[in-house]
Short mmCIF file of all heavy atoms in Angstrom, two decimals:
data_model
loop_
_atom_site.label_atom_id
_atom_site.label_comp_id
_atom_site.label_asym_id
_atom_site.label_seq_id
_atom_site.Cartn_x
_atom_site.Cartn_y
_atom_site.Cartn_z
N MET G 20 10.43 1.53 -17.88
CA MET G 20 10.72 1.16 -16.48
C MET G 20 9.46 1.20 -15.65
O MET G 20 8.55 2.04 -15.89
CB MET G 20 11.76 2.13 -15.91
CG MET G 20 12.09 1.86 -14.47
SD MET G 20 13.42 2.99 -13.99
CE MET G 20 14.19 1.93 -12.84
N SER G 21 9.29 0.29 -14.70
CA SER G 21 8.11 0.26 -13.91
C SER G 21 8.39 0.81 -12.52
O SER G 21 9.52 0.75 -12.02
CB SER G 21 7.53 -1.17 -13.80
OG SER G 21 8.48 -1.97 -13.20
N THR G 22 7.39 1.38 -11.89
CA THR G 22 7.48 1.91 -10.54
C THR G 22 6.45 1.27 -9.69
O THR G 22 5.44 0.82 -10.10
CB THR G 22 7.31 3.45 -10.50
OG1 THR G 22 5.98 3.74 -11.07
CG2 THR G 22 8.35 4.15 -11.34
N PRO G 23 6.73 1.18 -8.37
CA PRO G 23 5.71 0.53 -7.47
C PRO G 23 4.41 1.26 -7.45
O PRO G 23 4.41 2.50 -7.41
CB PRO G 23 6.43 0.54 -6.09
CG PRO G 23 7.87 0.80 -6.38
CD PRO G 23 7.90 1.57 -7.63
N LYS G 24 3.29 0.54 -7.47
CA LYS G 24 1.99 1.18 -7.32
C LYS G 24 1.73 1.31 -5.86
O LYS G 24 1.70 0.37 -5.09
CB LYS G 24 0.95 0.28 -7.97
CG LYS G 24 -0.44 0.90 -7.87
CD LYS G 24 -1.48 0.05 -8.58
CE LYS G 24 -2.84 0.67 -8.43
NZ LYS G 24 -3.86 -0.06 -9.05
N THR G 25 1.53 2.57 -5.43
CA THR G 25 1.20 2.87 -4.05
C THR G 25 -0.10 3.67 -3.84
O THR G 25 -0.52 3.83 -2.72
CB THR G 25 2.33 3.67 -3.39
OG1 THR G 25 2.58 4.87 -4.05
CG2 THR G 25 3.63 2.87 -3.35
N ILE G 26 -0.67 4.11 -4.93
CA ILE G 26 -1.96 4.86 -4.88
C ILE G 26 -3.06 3.97 -5.47
O ILE G 26 -3.01 3.47 -6.59
CB ILE G 26 -1.85 6.16 -5.72
CG1 ILE G 26 -0.66 7.00 -5.26
CG2 ILE G 26 -3.19 6.93 -5.58
CD1 ILE G 26 -0.71 7.44 -3.85
N TYR G 27 -4.08 3.75 -4.62
CA TYR G 27 -5.23 2.95 -5.03
C TYR G 27 -6.51 3.76 -4.75
O TYR G 27 -6.50 4.67 -3.93
CB TYR G 27 -5.33 1.64 -4.17
CG TYR G 27 -4.22 0.68 -4.36
CD1 TYR G 27 -2.97 0.81 -3.73
CD2 TYR G 27 -4.39 -0.41 -5.21
CE1 TYR G 27 -1.97 -0.07 -3.89
CE2 TYR G 27 -3.35 -1.31 -5.41
CZ TYR G 27 -2.17 -1.15 -4.73
OH TYR G 27 -1.12 -2.05 -4.91
N SER G 28 -7.60 3.37 -5.40
CA SER G 28 -8.90 4.01 -5.03
C SER G 28 -9.25 3.40 -3.67
O SER G 28 -8.80 2.32 -3.32
CB SER G 28 -9.93 3.70 -6.10
OG SER G 28 -10.27 2.35 -6.08
N GLN G 29 -10.13 4.07 -2.96
CA GLN G 29 -10.54 3.61 -1.63
C GLN G 29 -11.20 2.24 -1.68
O GLN G 29 -10.97 1.41 -0.90
CB GLN G 29 -11.45 4.65 -1.02
CG GLN G 29 -11.49 4.63 0.47
CD GLN G 29 -12.24 5.81 1.02
OE1 GLN G 29 -12.90 6.57 0.34
NE2 GLN G 29 -12.14 6.00 2.34
N SER G 30 -11.98 2.00 -2.75
CA SER G 30 -12.64 0.70 -2.88
C SER G 30 -11.63 -0.46 -3.14
O SER G 30 -11.78 -1.53 -2.68
CB SER G 30 -13.71 0.72 -3.97
OG SER G 30 -13.10 1.09 -5.22
N GLU G 31 -10.59 -0.18 -3.95
CA GLU G 31 -9.51 -1.15 -4.17
C GLU G 31 -8.75 -1.38 -2.83
O GLU G 31 -8.43 -2.56 -2.52
CB GLU G 31 -8.53 -0.63 -5.21
CG GLU G 31 -8.97 -0.67 -6.61
CD GLU G 31 -7.88 -0.11 -7.52
OE1 GLU G 31 -7.32 0.98 -7.23
OE2 GLU G 31 -7.52 -0.78 -8.50
N ALA G 32 -8.41 -0.30 -2.12
CA ALA G 32 -7.59 -0.45 -0.94
C ALA G 32 -8.31 -1.22 0.15
O ALA G 32 -7.61 -1.92 0.94
CB ALA G 32 -7.25 0.98 -0.41
N ARG G 33 -9.61 -1.23 0.21
CA ARG G 33 -10.38 -1.97 1.18
C ARG G 33 -10.18 -3.49 1.06
O ARG G 33 -10.27 -4.24 2.02
CB ARG G 33 -11.84 -1.64 1.14
CG ARG G 33 -12.26 -0.55 2.02
CD ARG G 33 -13.80 -0.45 2.13
NE ARG G 33 -14.15 0.94 1.92
CZ ARG G 33 -14.73 1.41 0.81
NH1 ARG G 33 -15.05 0.63 -0.17
NH2 ARG G 33 -14.96 2.67 0.67
N ARG G 34 -9.92 -3.90 -0.21
CA ARG G 34 -9.78 -5.35 -0.44
C ARG G 34 -8.34 -5.88 -0.26
O ARG G 34 -8.12 -7.06 -0.31
CB ARG G 34 -10.23 -5.64 -1.87
CG ARG G 34 -11.75 -5.55 -1.98
CD ARG G 34 -12.19 -5.84 -3.42
NE ARG G 34 -12.53 -4.50 -3.92
CZ ARG G 34 -12.44 -4.19 -5.15
NH1 ARG G 34 -12.03 -4.98 -6.07
NH2 ARG G 34 -12.76 -3.01 -5.58
N LEU G 35 -7.39 -4.97 -0.02
CA LEU G 35 -6.00 -5.39 0.11
C LEU G 35 -5.78 -6.01 1.51
O LEU G 35 -6.30 -5.52 2.50
CB LEU G 35 -5.08 -4.21 -0.03
CG LEU G 35 -5.11 -3.55 -1.44
CD1 LEU G 35 -4.27 -2.29 -1.42
CD2 LEU G 35 -4.65 -4.52 -2.50
N ARG G 36 -5.04 -7.08 1.55
CA ARG G 36 -4.82 -7.82 2.80
C ARG G 36 -3.34 -7.88 3.15
O ARG G 36 -2.48 -7.47 2.36
CB ARG G 36 -5.38 -9.23 2.66
CG ARG G 36 -6.85 -9.26 2.42
CD ARG G 36 -7.71 -8.78 3.65
NE ARG G 36 -9.11 -8.72 3.36
CZ ARG G 36 -9.85 -7.69 3.39
NH1 ARG G 36 -9.34 -6.50 3.69
NH2 ARG G 36 -11.15 -7.72 3.15
N ALA G 37 -3.03 -8.46 4.29
CA ALA G 37 -1.62 -8.63 4.71
C ALA G 37 -0.90 -9.45 3.65
O ALA G 37 -1.46 -10.34 3.00
CB ALA G 37 -1.55 -9.29 6.04
N GLN G 38 0.40 -9.13 3.42
CA GLN G 38 1.23 -9.78 2.41
C GLN G 38 2.54 -10.20 3.07
O GLN G 38 3.03 -9.57 4.01
CB GLN G 38 1.52 -8.88 1.26
CG GLN G 38 0.33 -8.40 0.51
CD GLN G 38 -0.31 -9.55 -0.32
OE1 GLN G 38 0.41 -10.41 -0.81
NE2 GLN G 38 -1.64 -9.54 -0.40
N PRO G 39 3.17 -11.28 2.56
CA PRO G 39 4.48 -11.64 3.09
C PRO G 39 5.56 -10.59 2.70
O PRO G 39 5.50 -10.11 1.55
CB PRO G 39 4.76 -13.00 2.46
CG PRO G 39 3.82 -13.09 1.32
CD PRO G 39 2.70 -12.23 1.57
N CYS G 40 6.43 -10.31 3.60
CA CYS G 40 7.47 -9.33 3.33
C CYS G 40 8.41 -9.96 2.25
O CYS G 40 8.76 -11.14 2.32
CB CYS G 40 8.31 -9.05 4.61
SG CYS G 40 9.73 -7.99 4.35
N PRO G 41 8.83 -9.18 1.24
CA PRO G 41 9.69 -9.77 0.17
C PRO G 41 11.10 -10.09 0.68
O PRO G 41 11.78 -10.86 0.08
CB PRO G 41 9.71 -8.69 -0.89
CG PRO G 41 9.27 -7.45 -0.23
CD PRO G 41 8.43 -7.86 0.94
N ASP G 42 11.50 -9.50 1.81
CA ASP G 42 12.86 -9.73 2.35
C ASP G 42 12.90 -10.94 3.31
O ASP G 42 13.78 -11.73 3.22
CB ASP G 42 13.35 -8.46 3.01
CG ASP G 42 13.57 -7.35 2.05
OD1 ASP G 42 14.09 -7.58 0.93
OD2 ASP G 42 13.21 -6.20 2.37
N CYS G 43 11.96 -10.96 4.27
CA CYS G 43 12.05 -12.00 5.34
C CYS G 43 10.91 -13.02 5.31
O CYS G 43 10.96 -14.01 5.94
CB CYS G 43 12.18 -11.33 6.69
SG CYS G 43 10.64 -10.53 7.24
N GLY G 44 9.82 -12.68 4.57
CA GLY G 44 8.71 -13.64 4.45
C GLY G 44 7.64 -13.52 5.50
O GLY G 44 6.64 -14.21 5.49
N LYS G 45 7.88 -12.65 6.58
CA LYS G 45 6.85 -12.52 7.67
C LYS G 45 5.62 -11.79 7.10
O LYS G 45 5.75 -10.90 6.23
CB LYS G 45 7.44 -11.71 8.81
CG LYS G 45 8.50 -12.48 9.56
CD LYS G 45 9.01 -11.68 10.71
CE LYS G 45 10.10 -12.50 11.43
NZ LYS G 45 10.66 -11.76 12.53
N MET G 46 4.43 -12.15 7.61
CA MET G 46 3.21 -11.49 7.17
C MET G 46 3.25 -10.00 7.63
O MET G 46 3.56 -9.72 8.79
CB MET G 46 2.00 -12.19 7.75
CG MET G 46 1.71 -13.50 7.12
SD MET G 46 1.59 -13.46 5.26
CE MET G 46 0.02 -12.74 5.04
N SER G 47 2.94 -9.14 6.70
CA SER G 47 3.09 -7.68 6.94
C SER G 47 1.77 -7.01 6.81
O SER G 47 1.01 -7.26 5.89
CB SER G 47 4.11 -7.07 5.95
OG SER G 47 5.30 -7.80 6.07
N ARG G 48 1.47 -6.10 7.70
CA ARG G 48 0.20 -5.40 7.73
C ARG G 48 0.17 -4.33 6.63
O ARG G 48 1.20 -3.76 6.24
CB ARG G 48 -0.09 -4.78 9.06
CG ARG G 48 0.92 -3.71 9.44
CD ARG G 48 0.65 -3.12 10.85
NE ARG G 48 1.76 -2.26 11.24
CZ ARG G 48 1.95 -1.04 10.86
NH1 ARG G 48 1.12 -0.51 10.01
NH2 ARG G 48 2.99 -0.33 11.24
N VAL G 49 -1.03 -4.00 6.18
CA VAL G 49 -1.22 -2.95 5.18
C VAL G 49 -1.57 -1.64 5.92
O VAL G 49 -2.26 -1.62 6.92
CB VAL G 49 -2.28 -3.31 4.17
CG1 VAL G 49 -3.67 -3.47 4.83
CG2 VAL G 49 -2.34 -2.32 3.01
N ASP G 50 -0.96 -0.54 5.43
CA ASP G 50 -1.20 0.79 6.08
C ASP G 50 -1.80 1.68 4.93
O ASP G 50 -1.26 1.88 3.90
CB ASP G 50 0.11 1.34 6.50
CG ASP G 50 -0.06 2.69 7.19
OD1 ASP G 50 -1.14 2.98 7.77
OD2 ASP G 50 0.89 3.53 7.16
N ARG G 51 -3.03 2.15 5.27
CA ARG G 51 -3.71 3.02 4.27
C ARG G 51 -3.85 4.41 4.80
O ARG G 51 -4.19 4.64 5.97
CB ARG G 51 -5.14 2.47 4.06
CG ARG G 51 -5.24 1.08 3.54
CD ARG G 51 -6.69 0.58 3.55
NE ARG G 51 -6.75 -0.81 3.37
CZ ARG G 51 -6.88 -1.70 4.34
NH1 ARG G 51 -6.93 -1.32 5.61
NH2 ARG G 51 -6.90 -2.98 4.08
N LYS G 52 -3.56 5.39 3.93
CA LYS G 52 -3.72 6.79 4.32
C LYS G 52 -4.49 7.56 3.22
O LYS G 52 -4.08 7.51 2.06
CB LYS G 52 -2.38 7.46 4.52
CG LYS G 52 -1.64 6.91 5.71
CD LYS G 52 -0.34 7.63 5.95
CE LYS G 52 0.27 7.01 7.20
NZ LYS G 52 1.70 7.08 7.24
N LEU G 53 -5.53 8.20 3.60
CA LEU G 53 -6.35 9.02 2.66
C LEU G 53 -5.52 10.16 2.10
O LEU G 53 -4.86 10.80 2.91
CB LEU G 53 -7.61 9.56 3.26
CG LEU G 53 -8.79 8.59 3.38
CD1 LEU G 53 -9.90 9.21 4.16
CD2 LEU G 53 -9.24 8.14 2.00
N LEU G 54 -5.58 10.42 0.80
CA LEU G 54 -4.86 11.55 0.25
C LEU G 54 -5.81 12.72 0.25
O LEU G 54 -7.04 12.61 0.15
CB LEU G 54 -4.41 11.23 -1.20
CG LEU G 54 -3.38 10.12 -1.26
CD1 LEU G 54 -3.07 9.82 -2.72
CD2 LEU G 54 -2.10 10.50 -0.55
N PRO G 55 -5.24 13.93 0.38
CA PRO G 55 -6.11 15.17 0.31
C PRO G 55 -6.84 15.25 -1.00
O PRO G 55 -6.27 15.00 -2.05
CB PRO G 55 -5.12 16.34 0.47
CG PRO G 55 -3.81 15.72 0.71
CD PRO G 55 -3.81 14.28 0.49
N ASP G 56 -8.12 15.59 -0.98
CA ASP G 56 -8.93 15.65 -2.16
C ASP G 56 -9.86 16.86 -2.04
O ASP G 56 -10.66 16.94 -1.10
CB ASP G 56 -9.74 14.34 -2.30
CG ASP G 56 -10.51 14.29 -3.59
OD1 ASP G 56 -10.32 15.17 -4.45
OD2 ASP G 56 -11.25 13.32 -3.77
N MET G 57 -9.71 17.77 -2.97
CA MET G 57 -10.56 18.99 -2.92
C MET G 57 -11.95 18.74 -3.51
O MET G 57 -12.84 19.50 -3.29
CB MET G 57 -9.84 20.14 -3.71
CG MET G 57 -8.47 20.45 -3.07
SD MET G 57 -8.52 20.79 -1.32
CE MET G 57 -9.29 22.38 -1.33
N SER G 58 -12.12 17.68 -4.32
CA SER G 58 -13.42 17.41 -4.86
C SER G 58 -14.26 16.61 -3.90
O SER G 58 -13.76 16.16 -2.86
CB SER G 58 -13.25 16.61 -6.19
OG SER G 58 -12.76 15.37 -5.93
N ASP G 59 -15.51 16.42 -4.21
CA ASP G 59 -16.38 15.62 -3.34
C ASP G 59 -16.47 14.18 -3.86
O ASP G 59 -17.55 13.60 -3.94
CB ASP G 59 -17.79 16.27 -3.30
CG ASP G 59 -17.77 17.59 -2.54
OD1 ASP G 59 -16.91 17.69 -1.68
OD2 ASP G 59 -18.60 18.42 -2.84
N SER G 60 -15.34 13.63 -4.15
CA SER G 60 -15.27 12.30 -4.75
C SER G 60 -15.72 11.26 -3.70
O SER G 60 -15.34 11.35 -2.49
CB SER G 60 -13.83 11.99 -5.21
OG SER G 60 -13.81 10.60 -5.65
N VAL G 61 -16.51 10.27 -4.12
CA VAL G 61 -16.99 9.22 -3.23
C VAL G 61 -15.87 8.21 -3.05
O VAL G 61 -15.65 7.67 -1.91
CB VAL G 61 -18.24 8.56 -3.82
CG1 VAL G 61 -18.62 7.34 -2.95
CG2 VAL G 61 -19.37 9.54 -3.87
N ASP G 62 -15.09 7.93 -4.07
CA ASP G 62 -14.06 6.89 -4.07
C ASP G 62 -12.72 7.57 -4.14
O ASP G 62 -12.05 7.56 -5.12
CB ASP G 62 -14.25 5.90 -5.22
CG ASP G 62 -13.52 4.62 -5.02
OD1 ASP G 62 -13.09 4.33 -3.87
OD2 ASP G 62 -13.36 3.90 -6.02
N ARG G 63 -12.25 8.13 -2.97
CA ARG G 63 -11.02 8.91 -2.92
C ARG G 63 -9.82 8.02 -3.09
O ARG G 63 -9.82 6.83 -2.90
CB ARG G 63 -10.95 9.66 -1.59
CG ARG G 63 -11.98 10.73 -1.47
CD ARG G 63 -12.00 11.37 -0.14
NE ARG G 63 -10.71 11.95 0.22
CZ ARG G 63 -10.40 12.45 1.39
NH1 ARG G 63 -11.32 12.46 2.34
NH2 ARG G 63 -9.22 12.96 1.61
N ASP G 64 -8.66 8.68 -3.41
CA ASP G 64 -7.43 7.94 -3.58
C ASP G 64 -6.79 7.73 -2.19
O ASP G 64 -6.95 8.52 -1.29
CB ASP G 64 -6.44 8.75 -4.42
CG ASP G 64 -6.77 8.68 -5.90
OD1 ASP G 64 -7.50 7.73 -6.29
OD2 ASP G 64 -6.27 9.50 -6.66
N VAL G 65 -6.11 6.57 -2.06
CA VAL G 65 -5.50 6.18 -0.80
C VAL G 65 -4.05 5.75 -1.11
O VAL G 65 -3.76 5.08 -2.06
CB VAL G 65 -6.26 4.96 -0.23
CG1 VAL G 65 -5.64 4.51 1.07
CG2 VAL G 65 -7.72 5.30 0.00
N SER G 66 -3.14 6.24 -0.22
CA SER G 66 -1.77 5.82 -0.30
C SER G 66 -1.60 4.52 0.49
O SER G 66 -2.04 4.42 1.63
CB SER G 66 -0.87 6.88 0.27
OG SER G 66 0.47 6.43 0.37
N VAL G 67 -0.99 3.46 -0.13
CA VAL G 67 -0.92 2.13 0.52
C VAL G 67 0.53 1.67 0.56
O VAL G 67 1.22 1.69 -0.44
CB VAL G 67 -1.78 1.15 -0.24
CG1 VAL G 67 -1.63 -0.24 0.34
CG2 VAL G 67 -3.22 1.56 -0.26
N LEU G 68 0.96 1.22 1.71
CA LEU G 68 2.22 0.55 1.87
C LEU G 68 2.04 -0.62 2.89
O LEU G 68 1.15 -0.54 3.73
CB LEU G 68 3.28 1.51 2.47
CG LEU G 68 3.93 2.47 1.53
CD1 LEU G 68 4.92 3.39 2.28
CD2 LEU G 68 4.66 1.84 0.38
N TRP G 69 2.87 -1.64 2.73
CA TRP G 69 2.87 -2.73 3.70
C TRP G 69 4.06 -2.51 4.55
O TRP G 69 5.15 -2.14 4.10
CB TRP G 69 2.97 -4.05 2.95
CG TRP G 69 1.64 -4.47 2.38
CD1 TRP G 69 0.74 -5.36 2.86
CD2 TRP G 69 1.03 -4.00 1.11
NE1 TRP G 69 -0.35 -5.47 2.09
CE2 TRP G 69 -0.19 -4.60 1.00
CE3 TRP G 69 1.42 -3.07 0.16
CZ2 TRP G 69 -1.04 -4.39 -0.09
CZ3 TRP G 69 0.61 -2.87 -0.90
CH2 TRP G 69 -0.61 -3.50 -1.02
N HIS G 70 3.94 -2.87 5.85
CA HIS G 70 5.06 -2.69 6.79
C HIS G 70 5.37 -3.99 7.47
O HIS G 70 4.49 -4.63 8.10
CB HIS G 70 4.69 -1.63 7.85
CG HIS G 70 4.62 -0.27 7.29
ND1 HIS G 70 5.69 0.54 7.07
CD2 HIS G 70 3.53 0.41 6.90
CE1 HIS G 70 5.24 1.71 6.57
NE2 HIS G 70 3.95 1.66 6.47
N CYS G 71 6.60 -4.42 7.38
CA CYS G 71 7.06 -5.68 8.04
C CYS G 71 7.09 -5.51 9.53
O CYS G 71 7.51 -4.46 10.03
CB CYS G 71 8.46 -6.10 7.52
SG CYS G 71 9.08 -7.55 8.21
N PRO G 72 6.66 -6.50 10.34
CA PRO G 72 6.68 -6.37 11.81
C PRO G 72 8.11 -6.46 12.42
O PRO G 72 8.29 -6.12 13.57
CB PRO G 72 5.82 -7.53 12.28
CG PRO G 72 5.88 -8.55 11.15
CD PRO G 72 6.03 -7.76 9.91
N ASP G 73 9.06 -6.95 11.66
CA ASP G 73 10.42 -7.12 12.17
C ASP G 73 11.17 -5.80 12.01
O ASP G 73 11.47 -5.34 10.93
CB ASP G 73 11.14 -8.19 11.35
CG ASP G 73 12.53 -8.52 11.93
OD1 ASP G 73 13.00 -7.83 12.82
OD2 ASP G 73 13.16 -9.51 11.44
N SER G 74 11.53 -5.20 13.11
CA SER G 74 12.18 -3.88 13.09
C SER G 74 13.59 -3.87 12.48
O SER G 74 14.15 -2.87 12.11
CB SER G 74 12.24 -3.24 14.49
OG SER G 74 13.01 -4.07 15.34
N LEU G 75 14.17 -5.08 12.37
CA LEU G 75 15.52 -5.20 11.79
C LEU G 75 15.48 -5.44 10.25
O LEU G 75 16.45 -5.42 9.58
CB LEU G 75 16.29 -6.31 12.45
CG LEU G 75 16.54 -6.15 13.95
CD1 LEU G 75 17.28 -7.35 14.53
CD2 LEU G 75 17.37 -4.82 14.22
N CYS G 76 14.30 -5.72 9.74
CA CYS G 76 14.12 -5.99 8.30
C CYS G 76 14.03 -4.74 7.50
O CYS G 76 13.52 -3.70 7.98
CB CYS G 76 12.86 -6.83 8.12
SG CYS G 76 12.51 -7.27 6.40
N THR G 77 14.47 -4.82 6.24
CA THR G 77 14.40 -3.57 5.37
C THR G 77 12.97 -3.29 5.03
O THR G 77 12.64 -2.19 4.60
CB THR G 77 15.23 -3.77 4.08
OG1 THR G 77 14.77 -4.96 3.38
CG2 THR G 77 16.71 -3.92 4.45
N GLY G 78 12.02 -4.23 5.08
CA GLY G 78 10.61 -3.99 4.82
C GLY G 78 9.90 -3.28 5.91
O GLY G 78 8.73 -2.94 5.80
N TYR G 79 10.59 -3.06 7.06
CA TYR G 79 9.93 -2.40 8.19
C TYR G 79 9.48 -0.96 7.84
O TYR G 79 8.43 -0.52 8.33
CB TYR G 79 10.90 -2.33 9.38
CG TYR G 79 10.34 -1.76 10.67
CD1 TYR G 79 9.44 -2.48 11.41
CD2 TYR G 79 10.73 -0.49 11.07
CE1 TYR G 79 8.92 -1.99 12.58
CE2 TYR G 79 10.22 0.03 12.26
CZ TYR G 79 9.31 -0.72 12.98
OH TYR G 79 8.78 -0.16 14.18
N ASP G 80 10.23 -0.27 6.97
CA ASP G 80 9.89 1.06 6.60
C ASP G 80 8.86 1.14 5.47
O ASP G 80 8.42 2.20 5.09
CB ASP G 80 11.14 1.87 6.11
CG ASP G 80 12.06 2.09 7.31
OD1 ASP G 80 11.60 2.24 8.45
OD2 ASP G 80 13.32 2.12 7.07
N GLY G 81 8.44 0.00 5.04
CA GLY G 81 7.37 -0.02 3.99
C GLY G 81 7.81 -0.62 2.70
O GLY G 81 8.95 -0.40 2.29
N PHE G 82 6.90 -1.32 2.01
CA PHE G 82 7.18 -1.85 0.68
C PHE G 82 5.86 -1.93 -0.04
O PHE G 82 4.81 -1.92 0.53
CB PHE G 82 7.88 -3.23 0.78
CG PHE G 82 7.04 -4.32 1.46
CD1 PHE G 82 6.20 -5.13 0.74
CD2 PHE G 82 7.17 -4.53 2.79
CE1 PHE G 82 5.47 -6.11 1.33
CE2 PHE G 82 6.46 -5.52 3.45
CZ PHE G 82 5.58 -6.32 2.70
N SER G 83 5.98 -2.04 -1.39
CA SER G 83 4.82 -2.19 -2.25
C SER G 83 4.85 -3.57 -2.85
O SER G 83 5.90 -4.22 -2.99
CB SER G 83 4.88 -1.17 -3.35
OG SER G 83 4.86 0.14 -2.87
N ILE G 84 3.71 -4.08 -3.24
CA ILE G 84 3.65 -5.45 -3.78
C ILE G 84 3.40 -5.48 -5.26
O ILE G 84 3.68 -6.48 -5.90
CB ILE G 84 2.60 -6.28 -3.05
CG1 ILE G 84 1.18 -5.67 -3.25
CG2 ILE G 84 2.93 -6.42 -1.60
CD1 ILE G 84 0.06 -6.60 -2.83
N GLU G 85 2.81 -4.47 -5.87
CA GLU G 85 2.49 -4.52 -7.27
C GLU G 85 3.37 -3.54 -8.07
O GLU G 85 3.88 -2.61 -7.54
CB GLU G 85 1.02 -4.11 -7.48
CG GLU G 85 0.06 -5.07 -6.89
CD GLU G 85 -1.36 -4.71 -7.23
OE1 GLU G 85 -1.64 -3.93 -8.14
OE2 GLU G 85 -2.25 -5.20 -6.50
N GLN G 86 3.54 -3.85 -9.34
CA GLN G 86 4.25 -3.00 -10.27
C GLN G 86 3.25 -2.50 -11.29
O GLN G 86 2.32 -3.17 -11.68
CB GLN G 86 5.35 -3.80 -10.94
CG GLN G 86 6.34 -4.40 -10.03
CD GLN G 86 7.24 -3.29 -9.40
OE1 GLN G 86 7.65 -2.34 -10.08
NE2 GLN G 86 7.56 -3.45 -8.18
N ARG G 87 3.45 -1.25 -11.76
CA ARG G 87 2.64 -0.73 -12.84
C ARG G 87 3.56 -0.20 -13.94
O ARG G 87 4.61 0.26 -13.68
CB ARG G 87 1.66 0.33 -12.36
CG ARG G 87 2.30 1.64 -11.93
CD ARG G 87 1.24 2.64 -11.59
NE ARG G 87 1.92 3.70 -10.91
CZ ARG G 87 1.38 4.58 -10.18
NH1 ARG G 87 0.10 4.58 -9.96
NH2 ARG G 87 2.07 5.53 -9.59
N GLU G 88 3.11 -0.23 -15.13
CA GLU G 88 3.90 0.20 -16.24
C GLU G 88 3.73 1.72 -16.43
O GLU G 88 2.65 2.21 -16.24
CB GLU G 88 3.47 -0.51 -17.55
CG GLU G 88 3.67 -1.99 -17.50
CD GLU G 88 5.09 -2.39 -17.34
OE1 GLU G 88 5.97 -1.75 -17.94
OE2 GLU G 88 5.40 -3.35 -16.57
N ASN G 89 4.82 2.38 -16.74
CA ASN G 89 4.78 3.85 -16.99
C ASN G 89 4.92 4.09 -18.48
O ASN G 89 5.55 3.45 -19.20
CB ASN G 89 5.90 4.60 -16.26
CG ASN G 89 5.55 4.79 -14.84
OD1 ASN G 89 4.39 4.59 -14.43
ND2 ASN G 89 6.50 5.22 -14.08
#
């Protein structure tokens, strides 16, 4: 079974752009949040979700665009 990929390296996350919402098709902004890191890593992990601008859409609370294999 696959799960949505929501953790990216900081360098990967910088290249991510707005994506169409899978439910309504409106362009959705990307939201990046740095994860806590106790090491002095240069390329830290980032939590990434896209949020639909339509408050009535199910994508408003966030969605992922990629799948990764487990």
Side-chain angles (χ1 to χ4, degrees):
M20 179 176 211
S21 61
T22 57
K24 181 177 179 181
T25 58
I26 306 298
Y27 294 82
S28 68
Q29 205 169 10
S30 58
E31 286 179 309
R33 268 191 229 107
R34 286 179 257 151
L35 298 174
R36 300 291 178 241
Q38 297 291 325
C40 176
D42 295 317
C43 69
K45 291 182 180 177
M46 288 306 285
S47 305
R48 63 182 170 79
V49 63
D50 182 28
R51 302 173 192 95
K52 292 185 179 151
L53 281 173
L54 295 176
D56 187 5
M57 300 307 286
S58 67
D59 290 333
S60 176
V61 174
D62 198 15
R63 293 175 57 186
D64 285 340
V65 179
S66 172
V67 176
L68 284 177
W69 284 260
H70 294 277
C71 181
D73 185 353
S74 61
L75 300 177
C76 180
T77 57
Y79 184 73
D80 292 328
F82 62 90
S83 298
I84 60 166
E85 294 184 20
Q86 300 289 322
R87 67 174 168 201
E88 298 298 321
N89 280 350

